Amino acid sequence: MQNIAVVVAQSCPAAERDALLAFKAGITEDSSGQLTTWVATTDCCTWFGILCKNGHVIELWLDGGGSGAKWGHLTGPLGSSLFTLLELEVLVLSETQNLTGPISPTIGNLTNLVRLDFRSNKLTGSIPSSVGNLKKLKWLSLGGNPITGSIPSSIGTIGDSLNNIYLGESSLSGSLPNSLFQLSSLTGLFLGVSNLSGSLSPLVGNLGPNLTVLDLSSNSFSGALPPTLGQLTKVLVLDLSFNKFTGQIPASIGNIGATLFNLNLANNELTGPIPPMFAKQLTGLAALGLENNQLTGPIPQGAPFSNLSVDSFTPGNPGLCSRPLPPCTGGNRKKLL
């Protein structure tokens, strides 16, 4: 009887299969066996975490933050082989905890990417300027890694496609590039818990049309808060806490209105009064952090301030007075002047 060779049909090109296998070859630990289906003799479009379209790999999604038997940690270098998958639209290797090494500049070759997420790993080095080539990108998440250097100005050239940037919980340093404030389609900018510094440019107001979250907390930003923060009229969360901002709270923040749900300016070096009109303007406030500044004068009265606890204003701010703190005295009033 004649032997008949069994040929396994490959829906994805051999070059794309080999690029995936090169990534797998560097992985030294796969705690939940996510890559066990990645076998050279099978169709890579059937492998776990892979999605194909028209015979090309368009999605690689391995998220260690999920639940169930197929979720876990990957240990090993990120490498650069994945950056040859030129049809990729989604590249998610988030919360796998133990991916190491730098992000290769060849990532800029993935010009079809819509989502890039390497969140919560051990990646090092700087963010390559070639990310500016990713003109279709909507989601950029590299935070939770010990990446260093400054935010490349090329990020601002990605353009109107970009909706969310998460670079927080990193070792990024330096000031924010002005080009960042050209991204008027951003809905979320998360840069908290890093080593960023410098002043906050008045250009931040350019983010007003769509921004709902601005998180610059736990950095080393300094200088005055720009009045243009009041142009962020759709922002729900404005967190500038744990920095070195000085000067007075801009009254223009009240222009955000009832949209603002959480305002956190705690642990800075702010002085002067809380703008009295906030009580009438910021009627949607449910969380306020002003503690550990050098604010003075009466706390605005009326909702929502009447619903806030002492913890919103103290410790710190010994010059503040009025409910929920003790009543104002002559000394308090002089500090307001």
Side-chain angles (χ1 to χ4, degrees), residues 33 60 69 81 100 130 132 139 159 165 167 194 232 247 317-318:
L60 168 55
S81 66
T100 59
S130 58
W139 185 284
I165 294 177
L167 302 177
S194 298
L232 307 180
N317 303 313

Side-chain angles (χ1 to χ4, degrees), residues 76-258:
L78 173 63
S80 60
S81 66
L82 297 178
F83 304 150
T84 65
L85 300 171
L86 301 185
E87 302 299 321
L88 269 184
E89 298 175 10
V90 174
L91 178 53
V92 175
L93 296 169
S94 64
E95 298 187 54
T96 60
Q97 304 295 332
N98 294 318
L99 289 181
T100 59
I103 302 171
S104 169
T106 57
I107 197 170
N109 296 335
L110 303 183
T111 54
N112 289 306
L113 271 188
V114 175
R115 184 183 183 108
L116 175 60
D117 190 348
F118 292 157
R119 181 178 78 256
S120 298
N121 279 287
K122 292 183 173 64
L123 299 177
T124 54
S126 59
I127 301 174
S129 60
S130 58
V131 296
N133 298 341
L134 309 180
K135 305 300 185 184
K136 297 180 181 179
L137 202 62
K138 295 182 178 180
W139 185 284
L140 175 62
S141 181
L142 306 176
N145 286 283
I147 51 177
T148 55
S150 58
I151 298 174
S153 60
S154 59
I155 282 182
T157 68
I158 294 176
D160 291 341
S161 66
L162 196 53
N163 299 139
N164 282 277
I165 294 177
Y166 172 53
L167 302 177
E169 298 179 272
S170 69
S171 296
L172 289 171
S173 58
S175 58
L176 301 182
N178 285 340
S179 62
L180 188 66
F181 305 117
Q182 298 173 5
L183 300 172
S184 57
S185 295
L186 280 183
T187 58
L189 180 57
F190 301 87
L191 304 177
V193 196
S194 298
N195 295 319
L196 298 167
S197 59
S199 61
L200 181 57
S201 170
L203 295 174
V204 69
N206 294 343
L207 302 179
N210 298 288
L211 197 69
T212 59
V213 177
L214 177 59
D215 183 359
L216 304 181
S217 63
S218 299
N219 280 285
S220 294
F221 291 111
S222 58
L225 297 176
T228 51
L229 287 169
Q231 297 174 23
L232 307 180
T233 53
K234 292 187 178 179
V235 76
L236 304 173
V237 177
L238 179 58
D239 192 347
L240 308 178
S241 62
F242 289 93
N243 280 287
K244 300 176 182 178
F245 288 116
T246 56
Q248 297 193 7
I249 300 173
S252 59
I253 288 179
N255 295 335
I256 299 174

Side-chain angles (χ1 to χ4, degrees), residues 68-81:
K70 283 296 184 182
W71 302 97
H73 298 167
L74 297 174
T75 299
L78 173 63
S80 60
S81 66

Side-chain angles (χ1 to χ4, degrees), residues 307-328:
N307 299 324
L308 297 171
S309 70
V310 171
D311 294 340
S312 295
F313 308 99
T314 62
N317 303 313
L320 280 180
C321 57
S322 188
R323 194 175 55 180
L325 299 178
C328 295

